Amino acid sequence: MKLEAKEEGRREQLLEATRRLILATGSLNISLNDIADELSVSRSLVYVYFDSVAQIIDELFAEEAEAIDRAIVRLINDDSSFRERLTRLFAAYLDHLATGGQLGYLVLRERNQDNPLSAANSRKFRRILRNLSRHAVDALALRPREAFVLLELIAAIPESLARMVRSGKLEIEIAQETSAMLIGSAIDAYEVH
């Protein structure tokens, strides 16, 4: 029992070290040596738990995807207007990105290069996007591709504002107000009247 706890603790340390390195560099371009050096352990120890950096990134992304999925499920089951629900969802996304949760964003930004995601996580991410897009299709009477593009464009708002918050150029409260105003306006432009 003690050995299992120690093993799980080491695994978590490796995951957290990888997260720190990725967030510090703003890139997925790290090596197993970098991770080992971060924890002052041998590269062999890293191999005991993970076969590659891609496997570690995939596991970290799975955690973020689960959180996003839960937030979307809450959004869909809420009784408020679509505008209010989507604004709250992207407010949570902005908070997440501004407070160091940009790992998922980095993975998705680089996914068309050397995709670190497993087939299962790629399917999960596509399912999340389809679910949210379907909700936008129903609420805004859009075609699926239009809904997807709209959501992708709206997601750029909190992503850009979060970068400004992290760099100290903008306070989180102002970023949230700006995000809510811009997202609300975008939805209003598409909403069926």
Side-chain angles (χ1 to χ4, degrees):
M1 188 75 130
K2 252 185 178 179
L3 184 60
E4 287 177 19
K6 185 177 179 180
E7 295 293 313
E8 188 57 34
R10 180 61 80 181
R11 183 178 183 76
E12 287 303 314
Q13 287 176 339
L14 291 166
L15 289 167
E16 283 310 307
T18 304
R19 183 187 312 274
R20 277 194 310 273
L21 285 168
I22 290 170
L23 297 179
T25 62
S27 172
L28 302 179
N29 191 19
I30 61 170
S31 69
L32 289 175
N33 282 339
D34 296 332
I35 297 165
D37 290 347
E38 177 76 9
L39 290 173
S40 299
V41 298
S42 71
R43 188 170 143 180
S44 301
L45 180 71
V46 179
Y47 274 117
V48 169
Y49 297 93
F50 299 101
D51 294 332
S52 65
V53 172
Q55 184 184 18
I56 301 171
I57 291 170
D58 186 60
E59 192 163 322
L60 290 169
F61 181 82
E63 293 171 5
E64 292 211 9
E66 281 300 317
I68 292 167
D69 199 26
R70 285 190 303 273
I72 291 171
V73 167
R74 283 192 306 273
L75 164 87
I76 291 170
N77 294 325
D78 189 316
D79 288 337
S80 57
S81 73
F82 177 73
R83 182 187 200 272
E84 292 168 355
R85 288 178 279 169
L86 201 63
T87 302
R88 279 197 318 272
L89 177 69
F90 281 109
Y93 183 49
L94 172 57
D95 281 339
H96 180 71
L97 292 172
T99 58
Q102 64 268 29
L103 181 119
Y105 167 73
L106 291 171
V107 170
L108 296 174
R109 181 185 72 191
E110 295 186 20
R111 75 176 184 256
N112 293 326
Q113 296 168 9
D114 293 329
N115 190 346
L117 297 182
S118 65
N121 273 336
S122 292
R123 280 190 305 275
K124 180 186 291 185
F125 179 67
R126 284 192 304 273
R127 182 186 51 76
I128 290 169
L129 285 179
R130 278 193 309 273
N131 193 13
L132 188 56
S133 293
R134 231 178 282 128
H135 193 56
V137 163
D138 295 342
L140 302 175
L142 298 173
R143 292 189 301 255
R145 183 70 186 149
E146 290 171 330
F148 177 78
V149 170
L150 175 65
L151 292 170
E152 198 168 64
L153 290 171
I154 287 175
I157 295 168
E159 290 165 356
S160 297
L161 291 168
R163 276 193 301 278
M164 294 173 75
V165 170
R166 285 192 315 274
S167 70
K169 295 177 183 172
L170 192 63
E171 296 295 321
I172 187 66
E173 297 81 13
I174 294 171
Q176 285 291 4
E177 290 173 18
T178 304
S179 180
M181 181 186 65
L182 292 172
I183 290 169
S185 296
I187 295 167
D188 289 346
Y190 279 91
E191 211 161 26
V192 177
H193 297 285

